[in-house]
Amino acid sequence: MAADGLSISLKLPCVFSPKSRQYLAVCAQDGRLRVWNTDSKTLHQEYVPSAHLSATCTCVAWGPCRTVKEGPQRKRRKSEAAQVEEKADLLAMGTAAGTVLIYSTAKGSLHCTLDGGHSGGVNCVHWHPEDGLLYSGSDDTNIVEWDLQTGKTRSKWKADRAAVTSLCVSPDGKLLLSAGHVIKMWDLETKEVYRKFTGHSTAVTTLRFATTRPPDSNGLYFLSGAAHDRLLSVWQVREDGKDKNSVVSFTLTDEPQHVDLITSSSKEEAVRLAVVCKDGQLHLFEHFLNGPCKKPLSPSCSVQMSDTKDSPMPIPLLAAALGADPRSVLLAYGNHLQPVMENAEINTAERHVCLTRDIKTNLSLSMETTVSKVKTPIVNAKSKVLIPGLPGHKAPVVSAPQGTEKRRKDAGNKEMSIAEQLGEINLDASSSQKGAPKAAASLQTDNYAVLLMQGLESKDANILNKVFQTRKEVEIKKTVARLPLPAVIPLVEELTTRLQGNPLVACMMVRWLKAVLVHHTSYLASLPDLVTQLGILYHMIESRVKMFHKLTKLHGKLHLLTTQVAANDSRNPVSDVDYTAKLVYEEESADEEEASGDEALPSEDSDHWEEEEAMQEDEGDEEDEDSDSRTEPKANGDEDMEHENESEEE
């Protein structure tokens, strides 16, 4: 219910007056009621409730047209008296404080205030077509019947276990539809339940009767639409009570926000339906209600608006009203502060129609004298300034300097830059402890949701980095839970861009993405263009997970090898290795060469190596002389032998 309540509170009322469609009542973000004239396209009246900041307007409903006495007038003739027309006068506004304000457009002031009936915020109001009664549904699960003549409650009863989010009175004024999650049909005479209808999983925000036929003829139909639901369901009230399921469904592109229809009085007459969705598109339907239809019906024509720039941007439609001509539709588009009204001719033969408009030239800035003048408020030192945003977002209130001396002092001090203000933001809870010094002019933030909203709107990387550095799962879940629904898609886009960067940053972003998918699954599933918005994220996750199966196999094999190696090492402990050789084999030739080489070289230990060399040279000379003396006798002996041989021969 939290998400549903948030969506209901963010829905800004925008309603055309009945029959002539002369006025458009809009409650904007500033809590003021503005009544625009659709003929002159100017601001007709503006009303500022006394508690427009604390008790904002949640719903608006025009009362039935009536004849209004506008002060003393001259007597009219009988021929002129017949030309008096009934005009839309009273306007009921439900507030978040539980009161109902009745505003009169003829007087231009508040007609009366209905209070004391509800203890919770009013979610819906609906007028009785004839008896001057008003019905209101609230968060306190009660329905109150108000008598406008006395300004008091006529009756009050409990409608459901959940909050009453939508009401509708039948055209004959005998039946009342109320809805939370379950749709109930009440008999207004006895205040008892006539029928029950179940089929919506979220809070029902739209209830409208589609036919004016009585329920006894099996020809009474009504339609319902729910929050975050892209279908309009049509229910049939049957005599036998076998009306458990819806008989027809109309397909939409988003949640319905404004519904206008022309009822049918017989089976031969088709129901014309105009639905403005939350995405700003208009869908037109035309169908004969005569029993069940299995397939959901698509719109006969869808209308979109865009500007005339080179890169066209869509212009959201706020409300639409059907006319007598099937081709003419009264449109209100732009923003709620200053909408643009236009009676457009639409070619319903085409399935899709795109209208291009230049909003700047169509805006009418002229206002009538009934508009209230703007006054600058006097701010005291003790007063508190309420600013838009989430609860808990506070900013220091600086009183206006008084006197010339203070002005001179303030003129010397320079204003803090945005970087300095960001530096003084204290995200820790240390400042809340006792004895902690208080900053003189620092920003105060009570939760991360405010900072995250500011960072997403301004696209400030410093604020987003400080928020995304949070590693606590509890803080991340609380922050994502407090985030409003319009900020979910920008958060997913920011997380997607950050996931494509550094892997360490991606690990932190995965926690935020998990929290978003867990808390806002139902909202994301209801988006019509979910595939295009989350396509980049899906392809990125798929590319990163493609190798996961192979990596798990490799991880398992490596784990098996490491465990086996560790087990073997534990069984066979390795002792100290002895590096000394147990056997040495030496060749003989190598030993002889080493020995001869050692004899030829002088000993390094001898200090008189020169004397030893001289001694060796002397010994060598003596050996040479001996050898010469030996060779001489040998030569003489040889000669004697030769002479003896010669004599013998002779």
Side-chain angles (χ1 to χ4, degrees):
M1 287 299 297
D4 300 339
L6 181 63
S7 64
I8 293 170
S9 63
L10 292 176
K11 181 181 177 181
L12 299 175
C14 183
V15 186
F16 283 103
S17 61
K19 291 187 178 181
S20 63
R21 316 289 186 181
Q22 184 180 3
Y23 300 116
L24 173 67
V26 181
C27 278
Q29 295 89 338
D30 55 359
R32 302 186 180 190
L33 172 67
R34 293 179 175 87
V35 179
W36 298 82
N37 192 330
T38 57
D39 296 333
S40 60
K41 298 179 177 55
T42 56
L43 182 61
H44 180 59
Q45 291 177 5
E46 182 180 17
Y47 173 68
V48 183
S50 58
H52 66 284
L53 291 178
S54 60
T56 57
C57 178
T58 56
C59 53
V60 172
W62 284 94
C65 297
R66 62 171 188 166
T67 56
V68 183
K69 295 181 180 180
E70 300 179 353
Q73 296 180 353
R74 65 177 180 86
K75 293 183 179 180
R76 298 183 179 181
R77 299 176 182 177
K78 293 182 179 179
S79 59
E80 295 178 353
Q83 297 177 359
V84 176
E85 295 181 359
E86 294 182 346
K87 295 183 179 180
D89 176 26
L90 298 181
L91 191 65
M93 297 183 294
T95 63
T99 59
V100 180
L101 306 178
I102 307 298
Y103 180 78
S104 175
T105 57
K107 299 178 182 178
S109 61
L110 191 66
H111 180 70
C112 63
T113 302
L114 308 177
D115 54 357
H118 293 293
S119 59
V122 178
N123 294 325
C124 50
V125 288
H126 202 278
W127 292 81
H128 194 278
E130 296 176 357
D131 296 340
L133 301 177
L134 181 69
Y135 298 91
S136 61
S138 171
D139 288 334
D140 58 4
T141 70
N142 293 326
I143 298 176
V144 177
E145 184 182 34
W146 303 90
D147 189 354
L148 293 183
Q149 294 181 356
T150 60
K152 298 181 179 179
T153 58
R154 188 173 178 180
S155 61
K156 178 180 178 181
W157 69 95
K158 186 177 179 61
D160 201 350
R161 296 180 181 178
V164 181
T165 55
S166 185
L167 290 174
C168 186
V169 182
S170 61
D172 57 0
K174 296 180 180 180
L175 300 174
L176 173 68
L177 285 172
S178 70
H181 287 290
V182 179
I183 303 173
K184 293 183 180 180
M185 182 175 285
W186 303 85
D187 188 352
L188 289 179
E189 293 183 1
T190 60
K191 304 297 187 295
E192 295 180 354
V193 178
Y194 181 68
R195 294 286 168 81
K196 285 185 180 181
F197 305 90
T198 57
H200 292 288
S201 59
T202 55
V204 178
T205 56
T206 303
L207 283 175
R208 294 294 298 269
F209 277 94
T211 57
T212 57
R213 288 166 271 177
D216 298 338
S217 61
N218 288 339
L220 185 61
Y221 294 85
F222 69 92
L223 57 88
S224 64
H228 312 302
D229 195 356
R230 289 177 289 167
L231 287 176
L232 271 181
S233 302
V234 180
W235 309 80
Q236 182 182 13
V237 183
R238 301 180 58 179
E239 282 183 312
D240 52 5
K242 296 180 180 180
D243 42 19
K244 296 181 180 179
N245 299 323
S246 61
V247 292
V248 182
S249 296
F250 297 111
T251 59
L252 305 173
T253 56
D254 205 342
E255 172 187 344
Q257 280 201 340
H258 184 274
V259 177
D260 185 55
L261 58 84
I262 296 178
T263 58
S264 67
S265 57
S266 62
K267 295 181 180 180
E268 291 77 15
E269 186 179 358
V271 175
R272 294 172 55 203
L273 185 65
V275 184
V276 177
C277 297
K278 193 176 181 179
D279 58 357
Q281 296 187 38
L282 170 65
H283 302 287
L284 301 177
F285 298 90
E286 188 172 356
H287 181 66
F288 292 92
L289 294 177
N290 189 11
C293 182
K294 295 182 179 180
K295 294 183 179 180
L297 300 178
S298 58
S300 59
C301 182
S302 297
V303 182
Q304 287 181 308
M305 299 197 73
S306 63
D307 53 15
T308 57
K309 297 180 180 179
D310 295 336
S311 57
M313 296 295 293
I315 301 173
L317 288 165
L318 305 179
L322 296 171
D325 187 3
R327 297 171 61 97
S328 65
V329 180
L330 182 59
L331 302 176
Y333 55 90
N335 54 19
H336 288 80
L337 293 174
Q338 194 167 5
V340 181
M341 286 77 67
E342 179 185 353
N343 199 345
E345 295 288 335
I346 298 175
N347 186 9
T348 55
E350 298 181 5
R351 296 295 299 271
H352 299 280
V353 177
C354 183
L355 304 176
T356 56
R357 298 290 185 272
D358 189 1
I359 300 183
K360 294 182 180 180
T361 58
N362 291 339
L363 283 177
S364 58
L365 301 179
S366 61
M367 296 184 182
E368 296 187 5
T369 57
T370 54
V371 178
S372 61
K373 296 181 180 180
V374 179
K375 296 181 180 180
T376 56
I378 301 174
V379 181
N380 297 325
K382 297 181 179 180
S383 63
K384 295 182 179 180
V385 178
L386 298 176
I387 58 178
L390 293 176
H393 181 204
K394 302 176 183 177
V397 179
V398 181
S399 60
Q402 299 178 359
T404 58
E405 295 180 359
K406 293 184 178 180
R407 290 179 182 176
R408 290 175 183 175
K409 291 180 181 179
D410 294 335
N413 299 329
K414 295 182 179 179
E415 295 183 356
M416 298 175 61
S417 63
I418 298 177
E420 293 174 354
Q421 292 179 1
L422 288 174
E424 290 192 1
I425 294 178
N426 188 10
L427 299 180
D428 300 327
S430 60
S431 60
S432 62
Q433 297 177 358
K434 295 183 178 180
K438 295 183 179 179
S442 61
L443 296 176
Q444 301 174 3
T445 53
D446 294 339
N447 50 30
Y448 288 97
V450 176
L451 282 177
L452 187 56
M453 282 290 298
Q454 292 177 353
L456 292 175
E457 291 177 359
S458 61
K459 296 182 180 179
D460 195 333
N462 294 330
I463 298 178
L464 293 175
N465 290 336
K466 290 188 177 183
V467 176
F468 289 146
Q469 285 175 1
T470 307
R471 297 176 180 267
K472 297 181 180 179
E473 295 289 341
V474 179
E475 293 292 338
I476 294 174
K477 291 180 180 178
K478 289 183 179 179
T479 303
V480 173
R482 293 175 182 175
L483 204 65
L485 294 180
V488 173
I489 293 299
L491 177 59
V492 173
E493 293 176 354
E494 182 66 25
L495 293 175
T496 304
T497 56
R498 289 174 178 261
L499 279 170
Q500 298 174 0
N502 192 354
L504 296 177
V505 178
C507 294
M508 300 171 64
M509 296 303 105
V510 167
R511 301 179 182 178
W512 287 88
L513 184 61
K514 178 183 176 182
V516 171
L517 296 178
V518 169
H519 283 86
H520 299 287
T521 306
S522 58
Y523 170 70
L524 292 173
S526 64
L527 296 176
D529 52 351
L530 179 65
V531 178
T532 58
Q533 290 181 349
L534 298 184
I536 300 175
L537 179 63
Y538 174 75
H539 290 301
M540 183 185 60
I541 294 175
E542 186 180 9
S543 63
R544 294 200 176 189
V545 179
K546 184 182 292 183
M547 300 296 294
F548 182 73
H549 185 63
K550 297 181 180 179
L551 289 175
T552 50
K553 287 185 176 181
L554 180 60
H555 180 267
K557 293 179 180 178
L558 291 176
H559 181 69
L560 182 61
L561 290 174
T562 52
T563 51
Q564 289 180 354
V565 171
N568 294 331
D569 292 343
S570 61
R571 293 175 184 175
N572 301 324
V574 179
S575 59
D576 295 337
V577 180
D578 187 9
Y579 293 100
T580 59
K582 297 182 179 180
L583 178 63
V584 178
Y585 175 76
E586 296 181 355
E587 295 182 359
E588 295 180 357
S589 60
D591 295 339
E592 292 176 357
E593 291 176 359
E594 289 177 359
S596 63
D598 293 339
E599 291 177 359
L601 293 174
S603 61
E604 296 178 356
D605 297 335
S606 61
D607 298 332
H608 307 284
W609 56 277
E610 294 180 356
E611 297 178 356
E612 291 177 355
E613 288 181 358
M615 294 288 290
Q616 290 177 0
E617 290 177 358
D618 294 340
E619 291 176 356
D621 295 338
E622 292 177 355
E623 290 177 356
D624 294 338
E625 293 176 354
D626 294 338
S627 61
D628 294 334
S629 60
R630 290 174 183 174
T631 55
E632 289 178 356
K634 286 181 179 179
N636 295 328
D638 294 336
E639 292 178 356
D640 293 338
M641 289 294 294
E642 291 176 356
H643 289 294
E644 290 176 359
N645 293 331
E646 291 177 355
S647 61
E648 289 176 357
E649 290 176 356
E650 294 177 355

